[in-house]
C-alpha cells in the first residue's frame, strides 16, 4: 500500500542555544539564527578557524589527547565563551555558552514537545522546540514513556500530526507499508522520540534527494524497521560526513537519539541512492535505564483501527 503526502512546513526562529556545525577544516555547514545574532560571521560557508584563530590549535591538541570537548574563553570579538565538541570529522560549536547545553534543557523541551505537537494551534512553538532539540548537546532523555505501541498507529501519527510541524522536507513523502506490518505489529518506543528520529532522518534525506522520498516500513517480529530513501541528486560529495550539508545536524541528532533510545541507525550512500534505516525494538528487552519511571505524556494517539481506515481511504 502506498500513501502520498505533500510538502511539510518549515520551522521558525527562536532556538535558545546558539549552535554551529563545521567540518574538520572549519568550514561552517550550519549555523542557527541565535549563533548568527551573536556573531554575524557565523554563517554557512565561513570558516570558524579564521573567525577564532586559536580554535584549530586547541582542537588538534584535544584530538591528540583523546579529549572530545574544547572550551575557550574570549576566543574572538563578541564571544565570551566557545564550547566545541569533536564528533568524528565534525565540530559542534556552542558560542557564548558556559557549558555544553545540559540534559535538563533537553528534557524540558522534549516534554513540552510531546504535549504540544498534536495541537495545530501550537505549530510555531513546536518548530521552536524542534530547533531546541536539534541544537541540544545531549540527546539522552531522562523522562520518557517507553512502551509498546501499534506500529501503524505511530506511522499515521507521524504523517498526520508530527511531520507537518517539524521540518521542511522539500519533497513529497511516500509511505510504503510492507505486508509484514499488520494491525497487531508493535514497536517499543516513546512516541516523541519515534517522531523526532523519523522527522530528522526525512529532513536529511530530503536534502540529498532527487524527487520523492520513500519511507518503507517493515516488521521482523523482533524489530520495526523504517528505511527512508531517495534517488541521489547530483553535485553532492561522495559519502563523507558532510554529505547532508545544512541538514548534517539532523542526521547527527537522529543518530544520537537512536543510540539513547536503544535503536540502531545506519546509512547507505551510493552513486544513485541515499538511504537511512532505523531499526527499533518491537517488544521485550530494551536498555535497563530506559525503564525509569516516566512523566505521564498527554499525547493524542489514534487507534490501530483508525490508522488502518485512514490508510485504506488514502490508497
Amino acid at each position: 500500500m502506498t500513501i502520498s503526502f505533500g510538502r511539510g512546513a518549515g520551522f521558525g526562529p527562536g532556538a535558545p542555544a546558539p549552535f554551529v556545525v563545521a567540518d574538520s577544516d572549519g568550514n561552517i555547514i550550519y549555523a542557527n539564527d541565535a549563533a548568527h545574532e551573536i556573531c554575524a560571521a557565523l554563517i554557512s560557508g565561513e570558516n570558524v578557524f579564521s573567525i577564532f584563530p586559536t580554535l584549530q590549535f586547541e582542537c588538534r591538541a584535544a584530538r591528540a589527547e583523546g579529549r572530545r570537548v574544547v572550551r575557550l574563553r574570549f576566543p574572538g570579538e563578541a564571544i565570551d565563551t566557545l564550547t566545541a565538541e569533536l564528533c568524528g570529522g565534525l565540530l559542534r560549536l556552542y558560542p557564548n555558552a558556559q557549558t555544553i547545553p545540559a540534559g535538563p534543557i533537553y528534557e524540558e523541551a522534549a516534554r513540552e514537545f510531546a504535549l504540544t505537537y498534536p495541537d495545530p494551534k501550537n505549530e510555531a512553538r513546536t518548530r521552536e522546540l524542534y530547533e531546541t532539540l536539534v541544537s541540544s548537546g545531549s540527546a539522552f532523555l531522562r523522562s520518557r514513556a517507553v512502551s509498546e505501541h501499534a506500529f501503524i498507529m505511530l506511522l499515521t501519527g507521524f504523517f498526520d500530526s508530527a511531520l507537518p510541524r517539524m521540518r521542511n522536507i522539500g519533497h513529497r513523502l511516500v509511505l510504503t507499508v510492507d505486508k509484514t506490518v499488520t494491525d497487531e505489529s508493535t514497536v517499543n518506543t516513546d512516541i516523541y522520540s519515534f517522531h523526532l528520529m523519523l522527522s530528522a532522518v526525512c529532513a536529511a534525506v530530503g536534502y540529498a534527494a532527487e524527487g520523492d522520498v520513500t519511507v518503507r516500513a517493515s516488521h521482523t517480529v523482533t524489530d520495526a524497521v523504517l528505511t527512508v530513501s531517495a534517488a541521489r541528486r547530483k553535485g553532492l560529495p561522495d559519502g563523507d560526513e558532510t554529505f547532508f550539508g545544512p541538514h548534517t545536524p539532523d542526521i547527527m541528532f537522529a543518530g544520537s537519539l537512536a543510540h539513547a533510545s536503544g535503536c540502531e541507525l545506519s546509512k547507505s550512500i551510493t552513486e544513485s541512492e541515499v538511504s537511512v534505516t532505523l531499526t527499533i525494538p518491537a517488544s521485550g528487552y530494551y536498555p535497563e535505564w530506559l525503564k525509569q519511571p516516566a512523566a505521564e505524556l498527554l499525547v493524542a494517539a489514534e487507534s490501530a483501527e483508525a490508522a488502518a481506515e485512514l490508510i485504506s481511504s488514502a490508497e
Side-chain angles (χ1 to χ4, degrees):
M1 58 185 72
T2 300
I3 312 174
S4 297
F5 293 85
R7 295 173 181 266
F11 65 93
F19 175 60
V20 177
V21 174
D23 63 21
S24 58
D25 294 322
N27 300 311
I28 295 176
I29 302 166
Y30 169 88
N32 67 5
D33 290 342
H36 182 61
E37 288 173 5
I38 290 175
C39 177
L42 291 174
I43 56 176
S44 296
E46 294 298 319
N47 190 283
V48 291
F49 296 147
S50 297
I51 301 171
F52 309 118
T54 60
L55 179 60
Q56 187 171 26
F57 171 80
E58 293 294 339
C59 286
R60 286 175 178 170
R63 286 195 170 95
E65 297 167 10
R67 292 184 288 118
R68 288 193 58 196
V69 177
V70 171
R71 294 186 178 92
L72 303 178
R73 290 287 291 168
F74 307 111
E77 186 177 354
I79 304 294
D80 295 330
T81 306
L82 178 68
T83 301
E85 184 179 12
L86 284 62
C87 306
L90 297 171
L91 294 175
R92 296 173 66 112
L93 304 172
Y94 301 90
N96 208 35
Q98 295 301 315
T99 60
I100 293 178
I105 295 174
Y106 189 97
E107 291 171 26
E108 293 167 9
R111 189 179 302 112
E112 184 181 349
F113 170 86
L115 301 175
T116 301
Y117 82 72
D119 186 353
K121 295 179 182 178
N122 293 315
E123 181 173 338
R125 178 57 182 156
T126 307
R127 294 173 187 168
E128 291 177 5
L129 287 167
Y130 181 79
E131 174 73 0
T132 299
L133 296 169
V134 171
S135 301
S136 173
S138 173
F140 290 83
L141 301 178
R142 298 305 180 189
S143 293
R144 49 173 64 240
V146 176
S147 58
E148 289 187 12
H149 302 275
F151 188 28
I152 199 67
M153 179 199 73
L154 291 192
L155 287 171
T156 301
F158 172 75
F159 281 97
D160 185 52
S161 182
L163 171 67
R165 298 181 184 86
M166 281 193 275
R167 278 304 239 176
N168 181 17
I169 307 305
H171 296 273
R172 186 179 67 146
L173 256 66
V174 179
L175 173 64
T176 301
V177 181
D178 188 87
K179 63 182 181 180
T180 57
V181 179
T182 68
D183 288 351
E184 286 73 41
S185 299
T186 60
V187 57
N188 198 55
T189 184
D190 66 281
I191 294 175
Y192 55 91
S193 287
F194 178 91
H195 286 164
L196 281 166
M197 283 188 294
L198 187 51
S199 178
V201 168
C202 287
V205 173
Y207 167 79
E210 181 69 44
D212 294 347
V213 174
T214 299
V215 180
R216 294 184 177 88
S218 60
H219 206 278
T220 67
V221 180
T222 57
D223 297 297
V225 182
L226 288 167
T227 299
V228 181
S229 63
R232 173 180 169 175
R233 66 181 173 88
K234 297 179 180 179
L236 295 174
D238 288 326
D240 63 15
E241 292 182 288
T242 62
F243 177 81
F244 294 102
H247 284 278
T248 297
D250 288 278
I251 203 68
M252 293 172 69
F253 171 70
S256 57
L257 184 53
H259 175 74
S261 303
C263 307
E264 294 182 8
L265 182 146
S266 61
K267 296 177 288 184
S268 175
I269 300 171
T270 68
E271 292 183 358
S272 59
E273 184 182 64
V274 54
S275 68
V276 178
T277 298
L278 282 168
T279 303
I280 308 168
S283 61
Y285 171 81
Y286 52 99
E288 189 67 28
W289 60 268
L290 290 181
K291 299 177 183 179
Q292 303 173 53
E296 182 178 358
L297 300 178
L298 304 177
V299 179
E302 299 176 64
S303 67
E305 291 77 11
E309 183 177 331
L310 185 147
I311 288 175
S312 298
S313 63
E315 288 183 311

